[in-house]
Amino acid sequence: MEQPVTVAPTDGAHPRPHGGQTAVPCWFLRGGTSRGPFFRATDLPESPTARDAVLLAALGSPDPRQIDGLGGAGPLTSKAGIVGRSERPDVDLEFLFAQVQPGGDTVDTTPNCGNMLAAVVPFAVESGLLVPREDLTTARVLTLNTSMVAEITVRTPEGPAGRSVEYAGDTRIDGVPGTASPVTINFLDTAGSVCGALLPTGNTRDRVTADGVGPLDVTCVDNGMPLVLVAAADLGRTGYETVAELDADTELKRRVEALRLVCGELMGLGDVSARNYPKMTLIAPPADGGTLSTRSFIPHVCHASIGVLAAVTVATACVLDGTVAHRTARLPAGDATGLTVSVEHPAGAFGVELGLDRSHGTPHVTRSALVRTARLIMAGDVLVPRRAWNTEKDRT
C-alpha cells in the first residue's frame, strides 16, 4: 500500500484578527469516547505558555461549566489535540495530547490519550496535513507526550470530490451511540511509556498502606498509561457500582486518592497530587462474559467507560502471572502468539488484541491492537479573546 503523502496545508486559513478576538482554525472531532478541538501545530503559538492560554480560552476553563468555550464540563470532553508533520523519516505525524480540567487553569501534556489518538489521522486528512492515495490510509503517529508510536488506519474511499475520510460504517464501540467506520490502532511500543518500565516498582504485586487504607495488594503497571489496579472488594465495594454511585461515594474517593498518592511515589512519579496519573482502577470478576470488570478514576471522577491505553494496560496485567488482575481475570483461550482480552467497564466492554511472546516462559506482550471510531463534528474557527493570544506578538 502506498504511504500517504505529507503536504503543507493548502486552505490558506491561519490565525487572524476577528473583531476584538483572534480566529484560530479548528476542527472539532470525537475520538473514541472523548472529543475536543484539534489544531495544526503551526496554527498555535510556539511558546507552551502562550499555547496553553489559547487552549484554556478555547475550551472555557477554568470555569467548571466551561460555559464560555468548547469544553463539555467533564474530563472526557475537555481535551485538545495538536498535530503536525514529522521530520523523522519513520514517522508521518506528531501528536501532542492536551488534557484540560473544567475547573483548572493548567494544561497537562504529560499523559497519553488513546481515544483522542483515534481522531489524529482523520484530522490530518481533513486539515490537509495528509493526502490519501488508497482506499485505506495508514499513517505512523508519534505521540509527543511519551514518545509512543502507533500505526493508525482509516478508510479513505474515492468520491465525487476525491478521496476523503469515511465516517459511516458498521463498527460499534461501547460508550458511543450508533455505528461508524473503524479506526484501527496498532501500538508498536507502549511498555513503560511514562514510568520507564512496564512494572515501575519491579514487582507484579505490592503490599501497600495509605491513610485509612490497607494494607492491601495492588499492581502498578504502565503499558501506555500508568495504572494502579486494586480489587474493589479490598476497598469494601463490589466493583459493579454505577458511575453515579462511585462519584457520590466521597469516603471511597478519599481512600482511593490516598492510595494513589502513595503508589505514585512507589512508581517513581514523585508527588502526583496535581497530576492526572496514575489512574486508579478497581477490578472485579467479569459480570457479563468478559475477562475482567473495571471501574477507573481519572483521577478523581469515575470514567464513564475506560480509556484506550488504560484498557491496554489492564489487558496486559491480566496476562502477567502474579498481578492482582491475573488472579481475578477469566482469560479466554488463545493461540501461542496472542489472545483478545475483553475489559468490561460501566458502558460495556473493550476488546484488546495482544500479541504474546511465550518463548521465555512468562508471557511478554509484543503488540497491542484495537479498534475505535471517530467523527468530524465541526470545522471552522474557534474565537479566543485577544488577551489570550495577541496573534502578531506570539507568532513573531
Side-chain angles (χ1 to χ4, degrees):
M1 181 181 68
E2 183 181 352
Q3 290 297 306
V5 177
T6 305
V7 297
T10 57
D11 65 355
H14 296 288
R16 59 204 180 277
H18 184 96
Q21 302 189 84
T22 298
V24 186
C26 169
W27 289 255
F28 197 79
L29 291 100
R30 175 185 62 79
T33 55
S34 297
R35 65 168 171 81
F38 276 73
F39 303 91
R40 293 177 300 214
T42 53
D43 289 337
L44 291 178
E46 293 183 8
S47 160
T49 300
R51 177 202 67 202
D52 291 354
V54 172
L55 295 179
L56 289 167
L59 287 162
S61 287
D63 173 32
R65 302 168 302 161
Q66 295 181 315
I67 198 68
D68 204 33
L70 298 175
L76 300 183
T77 54
S78 187
K79 302 180 176 185
I82 303 169
V83 182
R85 296 172 291 154
S86 178
E87 296 182 358
R88 285 178 41 170
D90 60 333
V91 172
D92 298 298
L93 299 167
E94 295 181 350
F95 167 54
L96 183 70
F97 164 66
Q99 176 70 65
V100 177
Q101 295 297 337
D105 61 358
T106 60
V107 177
D108 190 357
T109 58
T110 55
N112 292 317
C113 179
N115 275 304
M116 291 289 276
L117 182 63
V120 169
V121 174
F123 163 76
V125 174
E126 296 285 0
S127 64
L129 292 174
L130 289 181
V131 173
R133 301 298 189 191
E134 302 286 343
D135 289 343
L136 292 177
T137 294
T138 298
R140 184 167 286 199
V141 178
L142 170 67
T143 300
L144 296 175
N145 305 69
T146 62
S147 299
M148 178 186 71
V149 177
E151 287 183 344
I152 304 174
T153 300
V154 301
R155 294 177 179 174
T156 50
E158 185 76 45
R163 295 190 179 277
S164 61
V165 178
E166 182 175 68
Y167 294 107
D170 298 325
T171 298
R172 182 185 302 276
I173 62 173
D174 290 329
V176 176
T179 62
S181 182
V183 178
T184 303
I185 305 176
N186 184 15
F187 294 105
L188 303 183
D189 183 14
T190 54
S193 62
V194 175
C195 300
L198 178 66
L199 297 170
T201 70
N203 306 313
T204 56
R205 188 169 63 250
D206 292 281
R207 190 81 170 167
V208 299
T209 302
D211 181 22
V213 187
L216 49 72
D217 289 340
V218 303
T219 290
C220 301
V221 59
D222 174 11
N223 197 21
M225 176 63 69
L227 293 187
V228 178
L229 306 182
V230 57
D234 287 347
L235 293 170
R237 303 299 185 270
T238 66
Y240 310 120
E241 290 85 358
T242 66
V243 171
E245 288 171 337
L246 291 174
D247 278 340
D249 193 339
T250 55
E251 189 270 340
L252 172 67
K253 291 166 69 174
R254 182 194 64 77
R255 291 193 292 149
V256 166
E257 178 63 6
L259 191 62
R260 191 178 80 91
L261 296 178
V262 171
C263 291
E265 294 282 356
L266 289 176
M267 298 170 78
L269 297 171
D271 180 5
V272 297
S273 57
R275 293 185 176 180
N276 292 306
Y277 58 83
K279 305 290 172 56
M280 303 299 295
T281 302
L282 278 57
I283 63 170
D288 196 23
T291 305
L292 189 76
S293 180
T294 64
R295 295 293 186 269
S296 280
F297 288 84
I298 52 172
H300 304 128
V301 298
C302 185
H303 201 304
S305 53
I306 190 170
V308 168
L309 291 163
V312 169
T313 301
V314 168
T316 300
C318 286
V319 302
L320 298 179
D321 189 23
T323 68
V324 296
H326 185 266
R327 69 186 185 188
T328 303
R330 296 175 186 167
L331 288 169
D335 59 28
T337 60
L339 52 78
T340 298
V341 175
S342 177
V343 180
E344 295 180 358
H345 54 75
F350 196 131
V352 180
E353 180 184 327
L354 297 178
L356 301 177
D357 178 2
R358 304 177 188 269
S359 60
H360 297 92
T362 301
H364 171 66
V365 175
T366 59
R367 181 181 63 88
S368 53
L370 46 89
V371 173
R372 297 273 84 188
T373 64
R375 186 173 78 87
L376 176 67
I377 299 171
M378 181 280 295
D381 297 315
V382 59
L383 299 177
V384 298
R386 189 70 63 84
R387 66 178 182 275
W389 182 15
N390 182 315
T391 307
E392 293 183 1
K393 176 181 176 181
D394 287 327
R395 290 188 61 84
T396 57

